[in-house]
Amino acid sequence: MTQQLVSSSPLTAGEAAKLLARTPLLACADPASPQVVPSPRKPAVGEPTTPSADGHPKKDPKGDTSHLPARTDTAESPHHEDARALVGALPLLSPALRHIPPAMRDELTRLAARWLDAGHTPTDVHEHVLRGLPGAGTSVHRPGGLVRYLLRDVPPRALPPRPAPPQPAPPQPSLSARLHGTRECSGDHIQPMLFRPLADETLCSACVPPVPAPS
């Protein structure tokens, strides 16, 4: 605006002052409202954090994990050595078990030890494995895996049958019943001798005189 009012010829200081005095001042048509004036920002509490870039909230991985690592028990079974001998004898039970991988023997030993811990005998385990083998003429391609499957679940040990209660003894006949029909021998005895006669004899068989042989 000042450049439009000032001519191209040089002005003296007095002329310039008069010219400026006659020029109206332009006021701002839209003064700034105090409500829109930005206020100083308050700092947030705590240290600034960097937002996550992947956009997924954190979550516990165990909640949706379908295959969790199995819990291992480091305590050795008191029947560990018996279980090892049990597994070592498996190839002798059947030709189908001759090719159990040596690398699986430790795993099979731990499974067999669980059977022994539950009260089963090595004979029980061997019979269970034999019952689970396929019929004659059927080849077993993975004998170690088959034995592992058969020993996976430990059934409760069957209790031996309880012995039958003793039968009461038959009642004994009374003394009077046993003496019924007897007779005292009239022969020579130190003590009274009772016998059961067949007819009306009075002597027991020991006192009856022998019959003379016919001449």
Side-chain angles (χ1 to χ4, degrees), residues 103-184:
M104 294 188 63
R105 291 182 179 177
D106 289 341
E107 180 183 4
L108 298 181
T109 297
R110 290 192 296 270
L111 294 175
R114 295 171 57 232
W115 283 67
L116 301 182
D117 294 341
H120 296 278
T121 65
T123 302
D124 296 337
V125 180
H126 285 166
E127 291 179 351
H128 176 74
V129 172
L130 289 177
R131 286 193 300 267
L133 295 180
T138 304
S139 59
V140 178
H141 299 285
R142 294 181 176 87
L146 176 60
V147 174
R148 176 175 55 192
Y149 172 78
L150 295 174
L151 299 182
R152 180 182 58 183
D153 299 326
V154 182
R157 183 173 179 266
L159 298 178
R162 298 180 59 182
Q167 297 295 330
Q172 297 294 330
S174 62
L175 180 60
S176 59
R178 287 183 295 171
L179 296 179
H180 180 70
T182 60
R183 179 182 297 178
E184 184 177 352

Side-chain angles (χ1 to χ4, degrees), residues 3-209:
Q3 292 179 359
Q4 294 177 359
L5 297 177
V6 178
S7 63
S8 59
S9 60
L11 300 177
T12 62
E15 292 175 344
K18 291 179 180 180
L19 180 61
L20 292 175
R22 292 195 302 267
T23 303
L25 295 178
L26 299 177
C28 181
D30 189 11
S33 175
Q35 284 80 5
V36 298
V37 176
S39 61
R41 299 181 60 184
K42 295 182 180 181
V45 179
E47 297 294 332
T49 58
T50 303
S52 176
D54 55 3
H56 297 282
K58 295 183 179 180
K59 59 189 299 186
D60 188 1
K62 294 182 180 180
D64 296 329
T65 304
S66 58
H67 299 287
L68 298 178
R71 181 180 178 181
T72 57
D73 189 2
T74 58
E76 185 174 300
S77 167
H79 302 91
H80 183 79
E81 294 301 325
D82 294 337
R84 182 181 296 275
L86 184 157
V87 173
L90 288 177
L92 304 178
L93 301 180
S94 171
L97 302 177
R98 290 178 182 175
H99 301 290
I100 296 178
M104 294 188 63
R105 291 182 179 177
D106 289 341
E107 180 183 4
L108 298 181
T109 297
R110 290 192 296 270
L111 294 175
R114 295 171 57 232
W115 283 67
L116 301 182
D117 294 341
H120 296 278
T121 65
T123 302
D124 296 337
V125 180
H126 285 166
E127 291 179 351
H128 176 74
V129 172
L130 289 177
R131 286 193 300 267
L133 295 180
T138 304
S139 59
V140 178
H141 299 285
R142 294 181 176 87
L146 176 60
V147 174
R148 176 175 55 192
Y149 172 78
L150 295 174
L151 299 182
R152 180 182 58 183
D153 299 326
V154 182
R157 183 173 179 266
L159 298 178
R162 298 180 59 182
Q167 297 295 330
Q172 297 294 330
S174 62
L175 180 60
S176 59
R178 287 183 295 171
L179 296 179
H180 180 70
T182 60
R183 179 182 297 178
E184 184 177 352
C185 179
S186 60
D188 187 11
H189 294 281
I190 299 176
Q191 295 179 350
M193 178 64 184
L194 299 178
F195 72 100
R196 195 177 300 277
L198 299 178
D200 56 353
E201 63 266 22
T202 60
L203 296 176
C204 66
S205 59
C207 296
V208 174

